[in-house]
Amino acid sequence: MKIETIAIHAGNHTDSSTKAVIQPIVMSTTFERDIDGGYASGYSYSRANNPNRSALENVLAKLENGVDAVAFSSGNAAGMAVFQSLSPGTHIIAPDDMYHGLRNQLKNLFKGILEFDFIDINNTGVLKAHIKSNTGLIWIETPSNPLLKITEIRKITTIAAQKNIKVVCDNTFASPICQQPLALGADIVMHSSTKYFGGHSDLTGGVLVTGNDNDWWQKIRQVQSMGGAIPSPTDCYYLTRSIKTLPYRMRGHMHNAQLLAEYLEKHPTVEKVLYPGLPSHPQHQAASEQMTGFGAMISFCVKGGAEKARDVTNKVKVFTRATSLGGVESLIEHRASVEGPDTTTPQNLIRVSVGLEHIDDLIADIQAALA
Ligand SMILES: *Cc1c(COP(=O)(O)O)cnc(C)c1O
């Protein structure tokens, strides 16, 4: 079936007892046992599993064309489950512009437990030079945050496969509507479902989807059920509900993003625009080959440094001055000040999450703020 149909049906079960068309939220933490001690429903205790979580995991696995998915209470918890599933001493190679929350997690919580190198992952020579005998994982994120750099997934997974190294791809910026990394050889796809899956800036969640059910995956499932960083039944319900409109929301987001990027590129106050959907993007060709859409995150640099960038974010009225992405409302931020003092993000860079307002209103708002 096509992705629009999967999004609507794969996460929903008509309730057999009430015939409710929409699956109810099951709040019960515990489930009645049979006389013989078994669990007829397959559910025993809500940390281990819950019907709303099963429904969510089912639709997530199908959206990414995987065989199984696990849902977590945040994107960072999903990333952490991957790191916790690795044997101590495993070496990880990650991009130097990895999502800062996960980079800080590795540096602060896994120091002395795992080894890691943050490198220019798109430079094949540099990547090969960093592979060691204990390298077990290559982490990629594409498009990257906030520079919208493209990593050629197939190129990385081919190198990794030759050395028996696993590849995890953070697919948060693209969503499965724009990119499906498992089909390009990645072992596991990671998402912050706080972003496009949730889509309304009102819940926090994380996801892993696998292409193979193997020992490694079973370890990750154990981290979920034994570690306990699970999403609530209500959060699972809202995510399943939001996912039904994901394909159509992404179309709207991308339509607006393309037009806004094209507008910004022509503006005299704008130094450069970073959006993979623009032919001027240095990796537009690579993006076109591995993506079915270019997402809706735009970064742009203004003439006039940090002061001008902050001025623009202060003047907008339709855009909201806030971090995060993927919601129906457009967000704008001066990225360097969000990332803190050790940031390498240019001081004149503004990051935009393009929402679903009318494009004419978004352009008019930016035009006034840039003037
Ligand atoms: C937000 C985000 C995360 C972390 O997810 P949380 O839900 O905030 O824990 C990871 N990767 C990317 C690319 C993100 O945008």
Side-chain angles (χ1 to χ4, degrees):
M1 278 192 284
K2 306 282 189 199
I3 206 153
E4 292 83 354
T5 316
I6 291 168
I8 290 170
H9 290 287
N12 194 54
H13 302 282
T14 302
D15 185 45
S16 53
S17 57
T18 62
K19 302 290 172 196
V21 170
I22 300 302
Q23 187 177 0
I25 303 177
V26 176
M27 294 301 285
S28 185
T29 54
T30 187
F31 298 81
E32 191 178 21
R33 299 179 76 172
D34 299 331
I35 290 163
D36 68 2
Y39 294 98
S41 68
Y43 297 102
S44 58
Y45 180 64
S46 60
R47 175 161 42 72
N49 215 342
N50 161 279
N52 297 99
R53 206 164 89 212
S54 303
L56 172 63
E57 290 174 347
N58 191 39
V59 68
L60 290 168
K62 295 205 164 78
L63 285 176
E64 283 287 2
N65 252 310
V67 300
D68 197 16
V70 280
F72 292 90
S73 52
S74 72
N76 265 27
M80 184 137 169
V82 171
F83 305 141
Q84 286 175 322
S85 72
L86 302 173
S87 306
T90 301
H91 176 239
I92 302 174
I93 297 175
D96 48 16
D97 59 348
M98 181 187 204
Y99 171 71
H100 70 116
L102 285 170
R103 190 173 54 207
N104 289 340
Q105 187 186 94
L106 278 175
K107 283 187 183 167
N108 291 294
L109 302 181
F110 289 94
K111 194 177 159 198
I113 300 170
L114 298 170
E115 293 175 29
F116 31 83
D117 280 311
F118 300 102
I119 63 158
D120 176 7
I121 208 137
N122 295 324
N123 183 325
T124 314
V126 171
L127 173 61
K128 285 184 175 160
H130 278 85
I131 294 176
K132 303 196 287 190
S133 59
N134 61 336
T135 304
L137 177 68
I138 299 175
W139 184 280
I140 55 176
E141 178 186 332
T142 181
S144 77
N145 175 35
L147 298 178
L148 283 309
K149 283 198 270 182
I150 302 298
T151 295
E152 290 175 56
I153 301 173
R154 180 62 81 187
K155 208 157 98 182
I156 304 283
T157 57
T158 304
I159 293 170
Q162 285 160 0
K163 304 270 180 181
N164 225 350
I165 299 168
K166 303 290 186 199
V167 177
V168 174
C169 181
D170 184 339
N171 204 27
T172 302
F173 267 39
S175 91
I177 310 304
C178 299
Q179 179 171 277
Q180 303 200 328
L182 297 180
L184 299 166
D187 295 279
I188 288 178
V189 174
M190 178 251 155
H191 282 277
S192 165
S193 46
T194 314
K195 316 296 168 53
Y196 288 108
F197 285 136
H200 297 74
S201 309
D202 57 2
L203 61 82
T204 309
V207 169
L208 298 173
V209 184
T210 189
N212 279 299
D213 188 354
N214 47 27
D215 289 349
W216 183 37
W217 181 252
Q218 286 309 316
K219 186 83 187 283
I220 288 173
R221 271 226 163 263
Q222 284 189 334
V223 174
Q224 182 205 36
S225 61
M226 295 181 186
I230 50 157
S232 72
T234 319
D235 281 349
C236 293
Y237 172 82
Y238 280 121
L239 265 173
T240 312
R241 183 187 202 273
S242 293
I243 283 170
K244 293 177 190 181
T245 56
L246 177 72
Y248 288 92
R249 281 189 283 113
M250 286 314 296
R251 276 181 216 173
H253 284 295
M254 286 190 281
H255 169 80
N256 282 354
Q258 184 72 38
L259 293 175
L260 183 63
E262 286 168 10
Y263 170 80
L264 287 169
E265 192 162 51
K266 288 195 220 100
H267 200 286
T269 312
V270 174
E271 191 180 278
K272 69 173 169 199
V273 182
L274 303 169
Y275 180 64
L278 289 176
S280 63
H281 187 286
Q283 294 156 300
H284 176 64
Q285 189 53 36
S288 308
E289 280 164 23
Q290 72 181 10
M291 301 179 84
T292 48
F294 301 108
M297 292 301 294
I298 300 176
S299 290
F300 64 103
C301 297
V302 289
K303 294 174 188 161
E307 204 183 330
K308 178 71 180 175
R310 279 178 195 273
D311 184 55
V312 172
T313 61
N314 288 341
K315 280 186 176 151
V316 286
K317 294 199 167 64
V318 179
F319 287 83
T320 303
R321 210 167 34 256
T323 194
S324 198
L325 61 131
V328 293
E329 60 289 306
S330 294
L331 302 178
I332 192 164
E333 67 177 343
H334 176 240
R335 188 66 194 172
S337 51
V338 171
E339 295 186 350
D342 64 344
T343 180
T344 53
T345 298
Q347 287 292 332
N348 63 342
L349 182 141
I350 295 172
R351 193 187 84 169
V352 172
S353 169
V354 185
L356 295 179
E357 301 91 342
H358 197 284
I359 184 60
D360 294 352
D361 295 327
L362 294 178
I363 287 177
D365 195 36
I366 282 277
Q367 184 172 27
L370 280 168

